Amino acid sequence: MQSSSRDISVYPQTDKFINNLFTWPSQIENRKLTRFSLFSRSFRLVSPCVARPRGNKTRKTVAMSGLIKQKQYDWKDSNLALFGSDIEKNVKKESAATEKAWKNAGRKLGIQIWRIVKFKVEDWPSEEYGKFYNGDSYIILNTYKEEDGEELCFDVHFWIGQYSTQDEYGTAAYKTVELDTFLNDAPIQHREVQGHESELFKSYFDNITKGRCLQNQLNFRNSIKWCYKSGATTKEQFNFLKQNLAELIKQYTNITLFVWLGTNDLTKKERDGSISLKSSGNDSVHHIYSIYKEIYFFVRNFENVKLIYIEVPVYSIYWWNVFHNHSNPEHFREDDLCLHAQIEQLNIYIRDINRILHVHSPSLSNDLVQTRKQGKRKHTFSSYTFTGYYDGIHPRPELSRLWLLKLCRVFNMYCV
């Protein structure tokens, strides 16, 4: 059998592989040659064998070309050799020190917040702490001391807004690691996603309110001035209005004032963080209504102010106490029924006042109603569901956006 130019023909009875030299006896030249292509196919040997003259009885050898042993690399010769070494740590520390935003990071106890803007870290104003735009990413540093300890401890979080771009939250993650390096690897790192924040993160902002939840859903510049305070009663907010309304008129000239108050007058907060119903009757409702009327008569003195009352959505004492790990939340089931009846009565009063003002408020409680059919005749029953809340009171981003959309329609209707 004639061999191809890419194969080596050998005698299988006597072939040997010695020191990378392939040999055969020349006197056995009349035997049928056998195609042997293992080496040629594996190593693609293309060099032909050395020709041998006829009648020569001497042994010829052919050096095999292409059999090259793969070079062995040592990772110590690569740029990974210094990974984790003191040299690498010092280089990263010096690089982190060039970031101007970290100049005062971790030097005092408390919260510090930075916002990612076009790949850069910018300080977030302290008066805006707790307010996050859902199209941005932020870095939050909490500096504290353990009880009876003097050493500074740190928790560093990077918060990702729902509509934050990959560039922004990628930069936030990278800069969080850089801040960790700057603080000598002392901080504990946390990743926070909007709507799924950890309890530790939410504990930094005890002043969370429904108004803030809605404001956080605004990802564009607007002329809405938000005024809220966690735990404030209707009376306290009315006092704030009396002290600041004249100044606000000077600043904005024409104002449409939306009043969304009443929640904190119906319940009271206990020392263990749980809440309970303030009164089982309608005394609290009548008290709120009386303050609503005071606000109405006060605002009438300002010609450039239009007043609108926003209806109070139902909320749940039971689910608040479940969220805060109360030992016996079932005890508050009856409180919820009384609370919902009080809110319905309060909203009736709000509609009456708005009717006098010739304005209208959307019913936010309708977005919490679920219906189900039961029994053979499939009777329809309605009840409230609180899955749209974080904790039975404060709305999640989805519900906040829905309420904000409804309120924006009211803004467009009356703020012209």
Side-chain angles (χ1 to χ4, degrees), residues 64 81-83 225 308-309 382:
M64 305 293 292
L82 298 178
F83 186 78
K225 175 69 175 179
I308 300 174
Y309 288 91
S382 298

PDB file of all heavy atoms in Angstrom, residues 64 81-83 225 308-309 382:
ATOM      1  N   MET A  64      12.336  12.552  13.942  1.00  0.00           N
ATOM      2  CA  MET A  64      10.934  12.982  13.910  1.00  0.00           C
ATOM      3  C   MET A  64      10.857  14.468  14.230  1.00  0.00           C
ATOM      4  O   MET A  64      11.374  14.918  15.234  1.00  0.00           O
ATOM      5  CB  MET A  64      10.112  12.181  14.920  1.00  0.00           C
ATOM      6  CG  MET A  64      10.204  10.686  14.734  1.00  0.00           C
ATOM      7  SD  MET A  64       9.446  10.168  13.192  1.00  0.00           S
ATOM      8  CE  MET A  64       7.764  10.504  13.553  1.00  0.00           C
ATOM      9  N   ALA A  81       1.559  36.735  41.097  1.00  0.00           N
ATOM     10  CA  ALA A  81       2.526  36.389  42.135  1.00  0.00           C
ATOM     11  C   ALA A  81       2.400  37.285  43.359  1.00  0.00           C
ATOM     12  O   ALA A  81       2.618  36.848  44.489  1.00  0.00           O
ATOM     13  CB  ALA A  81       3.943  36.459  41.573  1.00  0.00           C
ATOM     14  N   LEU A  82       1.978  38.548  43.149  1.00  0.00           N
ATOM     15  CA  LEU A  82       1.891  39.500  44.267  1.00  0.00           C
ATOM     16  C   LEU A  82       0.472  39.643  44.792  1.00  0.00           C
ATOM     17  O   LEU A  82       0.215  40.504  45.638  1.00  0.00           O
ATOM     18  CB  LEU A  82       2.410  40.871  43.815  1.00  0.00           C
ATOM     19  CG  LEU A  82       3.876  40.907  43.373  1.00  0.00           C
ATOM     20  CD1 LEU A  82       4.245  42.307  42.894  1.00  0.00           C
ATOM     21  CD2 LEU A  82       4.792  40.475  44.519  1.00  0.00           C
ATOM     22  N   PHE A  83      -0.445  38.794  44.287  1.00  0.00           N
ATOM     23  CA  PHE A  83      -1.828  38.897  44.726  1.00  0.00           C
ATOM     24  C   PHE A  83      -1.952  38.572  46.217  1.00  0.00           C
ATOM     25  O   PHE A  83      -1.518  37.521  46.681  1.00  0.00           O
ATOM     26  CB  PHE A  83      -2.706  37.937  43.915  1.00  0.00           C
ATOM     27  CG  PHE A  83      -4.168  38.074  44.212  1.00  0.00           C
ATOM     28  CD1 PHE A  83      -4.901  39.117  43.674  1.00  0.00           C
ATOM     29  CD2 PHE A  83      -4.814  37.175  45.035  1.00  0.00           C
ATOM     30  CE1 PHE A  83      -6.248  39.255  43.930  1.00  0.00           C
ATOM     31  CE2 PHE A  83      -6.153  37.298  45.306  1.00  0.00           C
ATOM     32  CZ  PHE A  83      -6.879  38.346  44.761  1.00  0.00           C
ATOM     33  N   LYS A 225     -42.379  70.443  46.480  1.00  0.00           N
ATOM     34  CA  LYS A 225     -41.692  70.641  47.757  1.00  0.00           C
ATOM     35  C   LYS A 225     -42.316  69.705  48.779  1.00  0.00           C
ATOM     36  O   LYS A 225     -43.487  69.832  49.120  1.00  0.00           O
ATOM     37  CB  LYS A 225     -41.826  72.101  48.208  1.00  0.00           C
ATOM     38  CG  LYS A 225     -41.250  72.389  49.586  1.00  0.00           C
ATOM     39  CD  LYS A 225     -39.743  72.299  49.607  1.00  0.00           C
ATOM     40  CE  LYS A 225     -39.182  72.711  50.958  1.00  0.00           C
ATOM     41  NZ  LYS A 225     -37.708  72.603  51.007  1.00  0.00           N
ATOM     42  N   ILE A 308     -55.842  71.205  49.161  1.00  0.00           N
ATOM     43  CA  ILE A 308     -56.434  69.906  48.817  1.00  0.00           C
ATOM     44  C   ILE A 308     -56.054  68.903  49.911  1.00  0.00           C
ATOM     45  O   ILE A 308     -54.883  68.808  50.294  1.00  0.00           O
ATOM     46  CB  ILE A 308     -55.926  69.395  47.456  1.00  0.00           C
ATOM     47  CG1 ILE A 308     -56.273  70.377  46.339  1.00  0.00           C
ATOM     48  CG2 ILE A 308     -56.513  68.015  47.141  1.00  0.00           C
ATOM     49  CD1 ILE A 308     -55.678  70.004  45.002  1.00  0.00           C
ATOM     50  N   TYR A 309     -57.026  68.163  50.402  1.00  0.00           N
ATOM     51  CA  TYR A 309     -56.768  67.113  51.379  1.00  0.00           C
ATOM     52  C   TYR A 309     -56.687  65.765  50.664  1.00  0.00           C
ATOM     53  O   TYR A 309     -57.543  65.439  49.834  1.00  0.00           O
ATOM     54  CB  TYR A 309     -57.882  67.061  52.433  1.00  0.00           C
ATOM     55  CG  TYR A 309     -57.864  68.222  53.403  1.00  0.00           C
ATOM     56  CD1 TYR A 309     -58.597  69.383  53.145  1.00  0.00           C
ATOM     57  CD2 TYR A 309     -57.123  68.154  54.574  1.00  0.00           C
ATOM     58  CE1 TYR A 309     -58.581  70.453  54.028  1.00  0.00           C
ATOM     59  CE2 TYR A 309     -57.101  69.220  55.472  1.00  0.00           C
ATOM     60  CZ  TYR A 309     -57.828  70.362  55.189  1.00  0.00           C
ATOM     61  OH  TYR A 309     -57.809  71.417  56.063  1.00  0.00           O
ATOM     62  N   SER A 382     -64.991  41.141  49.828  1.00  0.00           N
ATOM     63  CA  SER A 382     -63.867  42.076  49.694  1.00  0.00           C
ATOM     64  C   SER A 382     -63.151  42.225  51.022  1.00  0.00           C
ATOM     65  O   SER A 382     -63.780  42.206  52.090  1.00  0.00           O
ATOM     66  CB  SER A 382     -64.362  43.448  49.214  1.00  0.00           C
ATOM     67  OG  SER A 382     -64.953  43.350  47.938  1.00  0.00           O
TER      68      SER A 382
END
